[in-house]
Amino acid sequence: MNKIGPASELISERRPAVRRGLHPRVFDLLEAWSGTIILILVMAYFGWVSAAFFSFGNFVGIIEATAITFFISLGVMMSLTVGGFDLSIGSVASMASMLAAGMMVLYQWPYPLAIIGPVLVGAAIGAINGFIIVGIGLPDLLATLGMMFVIGGVQQVYSDGQNIYSHMTLATGEMLPGEISPAFTDLINGDLLGIPLPLLITIVVGGLFYYLMRWTRWGRLFYAVGDNMEAARVAGVPVKRYRIMAYVISGAVAGFGGVLLTALLNAGETQAGASYLLQAVTAVFLGAAFFGRNRVGVFGTLVGAFILAVLVNGLTMINMPYTAQDIFKGCLLVIAVGTGVVIKRHRERSLAARRD
């Protein structure tokens, strides 16, 4: 009895401190704002070492890079919401880039078709992915990896391995009269009432995606399918249809990212979208770790794309070699995911202590 008494008193002395709930609040704040704090610190550092970092022209460059990465990242995000993964989005972006340039330069079609056509082709590729994964039952990684190689081969055959640009010269020596329309390149270089067009496009399309995925039953069912496919099926959700739709949307938005890439490069390049696969995956998980409580989402994806654009832009301004920039991207991703895991673990311990 003598031994139990002091221990009980010690426990009773600790309980009021636990009930105040200070620790969960602190961890909630850290989880909510850690990404913002890191972003501000990164931007402050680049602004300190280079005065041009905060110039309007540099800000526009960051927006252009953010917009392209964001739309390709949306493709990864959509496949993740239903518990899948789309490895073909980089190749889809490359194909869309080549297709958009080819429509204007090789066939001299009007530029609106060069915007719509690649998006529809991207959606069709997504539908094929969905059919192979959902209809036939192949694993998503295997199916989209195979599609990645198929698309790469098709675009090589389509362009004979050459990039497509205005007034290009064919192997026969013939110079083509077609050119990439200036109105088309305005998608990335233009502005409306002084506001950069890529910023407006990102806000409008990103805002629409955010609303649909967060505030509508249609959008929430994608997450329901990804969280527990069997439970969603029992609840009456058409699981197969939602999984296929996710891949269709994934292909379409990656295709639009490829269109923006053509506008930026003023050409269609065979490997233009390849490097965006890893960037897109990084952006999605960065956003999920920092702002989504380890759950992928539209806003987190946008923030992840912006963080990557800021990082690449700043490293370029301080003359960091391009080959070394991936080191910083990898470190940032590990820090982001690690921070999220640590915060979540401590919050759960704190909540458990409050329940005791």
Side-chain angles (χ1 to χ4, degrees), residues 139-317:
D140 51 352
L141 289 177
L142 182 62
T144 55
L145 179 65
M147 182 59 73
M148 182 178 75
F149 285 111
V150 170
I151 296 171
V154 168
Q155 71 174 359
Q156 290 289 337
V157 172
Y158 167 71
S159 65
D160 201 20
Q162 296 184 39
N163 297 332
I164 300 176
Y165 48 89
S166 299
H167 308 298
M168 66 181 292
T169 303
L170 299 177
T172 58
E174 178 190 0
M175 179 181 287
L176 295 176
E179 64 176 9
I180 295 175
S181 168
F184 179 86
T185 58
D186 279 348
L187 282 174
I188 207 78
N189 300 319
D191 66 83
L192 182 64
L193 302 175
I195 304 173
L197 269 183
L199 177 61
L200 286 177
I201 294 171
T202 301
I203 291 174
V204 171
V205 180
L208 178 63
F209 263 85
Y210 180 80
Y211 171 76
L212 291 174
M213 296 301 292
R214 185 174 178 84
W215 297 109
T216 68
R217 182 177 182 275
W218 179 82
R220 289 195 293 269
L221 287 183
F222 283 97
Y223 289 104
V225 171
D227 288 343
N228 191 324
M229 209 172 292
E230 189 56 35
R233 186 178 290 110
V234 171
V237 178
V239 172
K240 290 185 177 180
R241 188 192 308 167
Y242 270 84
R243 291 180 68 196
I244 292 175
M245 272 197 294
Y247 284 101
V248 171
I249 296 171
S250 172
V253 291
F256 187 66
V259 168
L260 294 180
L261 202 52
T262 307
L264 176 69
L265 300 173
N266 201 23
E269 296 188 1
T270 56
Q271 298 297 322
S275 63
Y276 279 89
L277 172 59
L278 288 181
Q279 286 203 55
V281 174
T282 306
V284 172
F285 284 110
L286 267 178
F290 276 154
F291 296 95
R293 297 190 175 185
N294 291 318
R295 186 184 182 92
V296 299
V298 177
F299 181 68
T301 300
L302 175 61
V303 174
F306 183 70
I307 291 173
L308 279 183
V310 167
L311 186 66
V312 171
N313 181 276
L315 291 173
T316 303
M317 292 191 76

Side-chain angles (χ1 to χ4, degrees), residues 75-98:
V76 176
M77 189 211 79
M78 287 305 302
S79 62
L80 286 172
T81 57
V82 294
F85 198 92
D86 191 350
L87 281 174
S88 67
I89 53 116
S91 294
V92 172
S94 294
M95 166 68 91
S97 173
M98 294 293 290

Side-chain angles (χ1 to χ4, degrees), residues 115-146:
I115 298 173
I116 299 171
V119 174
L120 293 178
V121 170
I125 293 172
I128 296 172
N129 276 335
F131 172 75
I132 294 173
I133 294 167
V134 179
I136 299 178
L138 258 65
D140 51 352
L141 289 177
L142 182 62
T144 55
L145 179 65

